[in-house]
Amino acid sequence: MSDPINKKQFKVLKFLVDLFNKLKIKYFIDDGLATIIYGSKRKLYDIDICITSESMNKLKIVFNDLAFKPFSYKKFADCHVHLVTFRINNIPIDARTDKREYVCHTGKGKKRCVKLHDEFRNTKIVKFRGLRLRVINPELLFVTKLFINRKCDRTDAKAILKHRRMNKNKIIRLSKKFEIEDKVLKLLI
């Protein structure tokens, strides 16, 4: 099986981590890359990172000064997500603030949001290919993947569960907050 992260993506990841450390930007890795770090073999499309709200303006200034384009900023009014999108060497980067609501499309045009406070408490330092990365913890990643509930997210959740030892009590506690206990328990049994 081929490597889920190509050399170009890894170089961009290393550049970002070095830059964030140099500028003292607090961050963590989320979504697809975190899933790969925890064992998924799926191909990486973009690099998803979360930074503190305070660092978002610094990030926009730094990347605009470095002329990384396109650079866009979105605020999704219905779920209060602040998202900055840019490219480095044609690799898409999605940076969002830590004031996040996870959104689940429940069908018939309805959505449900769950707000988490201080996601940085739900992270851990992981060594990955010689880099020390702050990554969303596998329990929260597992539960949010099931909550978002797209086919790719359900596949990611199964991969995380298969390849990673996790704290089942923490998973159950988080699944209650997201109101998906039944779905989580089916996979844990």
Side-chain angles (χ1 to χ4, degrees):
M1 181 174 273
S2 65
D3 193 343
I5 301 173
N6 66 41
K7 289 177 184 177
K8 193 173 171 182
Q9 290 167 327
F10 185 76
K11 277 185 171 181
V12 169
L13 174 63
K14 184 176 180 341
F15 170 80
L16 283 173
V17 170
D18 290 346
L19 182 68
F20 290 170
N21 289 336
K22 181 179 176 183
L23 297 175
K24 295 182 174 50
I25 291 177
K26 194 173 176 182
Y27 77 93
F28 68 84
I29 303 297
D30 196 9
D31 205 23
L33 180 55
T35 302
I36 291 167
I37 290 168
Y38 290 132
S40 176
K41 301 298 181 203
R42 76 171 174 96
K43 290 280 187 199
L44 181 66
Y45 168 71
D46 61 0
I47 297 173
D48 295 286
I49 55 174
C50 181
I51 62 173
T52 62
S53 299
E54 299 78 32
S55 295
M56 184 60 83
N57 287 333
K58 184 189 288 189
L59 182 72
K60 290 192 296 186
I61 291 166
V62 166
F63 282 113
N64 278 329
D65 287 349
L66 293 174
F68 290 120
K69 304 290 182 199
F71 191 89
S72 64
Y73 179 75
K74 297 176 186 170
K75 181 178 179 183
F76 299 97
D78 60 343
C79 56
H80 307 97
V81 175
H82 300 257
L83 179 70
V84 175
T85 302
F86 55 96
R87 291 178 174 273
I88 301 175
N89 293 337
N90 213 28
I91 305 298
I93 314 294
D94 285 338
R96 65 168 175 81
T97 61
D98 57 326
K99 306 285 191 261
R100 179 163 190 192
E101 289 181 343
Y102 288 90
V103 180
C104 175
H105 297 274
T106 57
K108 299 180 184 175
K110 295 181 181 177
K111 295 181 214 182
R112 192 163 61 83
C113 296
V114 173
K115 178 78 172 168
L116 289 182
H117 300 282
D118 190 16
E119 283 183 291
F120 282 90
R121 288 186 307 173
N122 288 300
T123 63
K124 60 193 278 182
I125 300 293
V126 174
K127 287 186 180 182
F128 179 71
R129 299 185 182 182
L131 297 177
R132 286 180 41 109
L133 305 172
R134 181 163 294 283
V135 183
I136 187 173
N137 75 40
E139 294 87 359
L140 179 58
L141 183 61
F142 173 76
V143 171
T144 58
K145 288 288 187 175
L146 289 177
F147 177 74
I148 295 167
N149 203 31
R150 298 174 299 186
K151 183 179 179 182
C152 63
D153 293 308
R154 290 189 303 271
T155 301
D156 284 347
K158 289 175 185 173
I160 297 164
L161 187 61
K162 181 179 175 185
H163 295 285
R164 195 73 188 167
R165 289 188 186 141
M166 292 188 284
N167 180 328
K168 290 186 180 178
N169 290 330
K170 190 174 197 175
I171 291 172
I172 291 167
R173 192 172 58 252
L174 286 165
S175 70
K176 288 178 183 177
K177 182 172 183 122
F178 285 85
E179 299 176 11
I180 58 167
E181 293 167 86
D182 293 343
K183 192 184 298 186
V184 167
L185 290 173
K186 284 179 190 175
L187 284 174
L188 291 179
I189 293 175

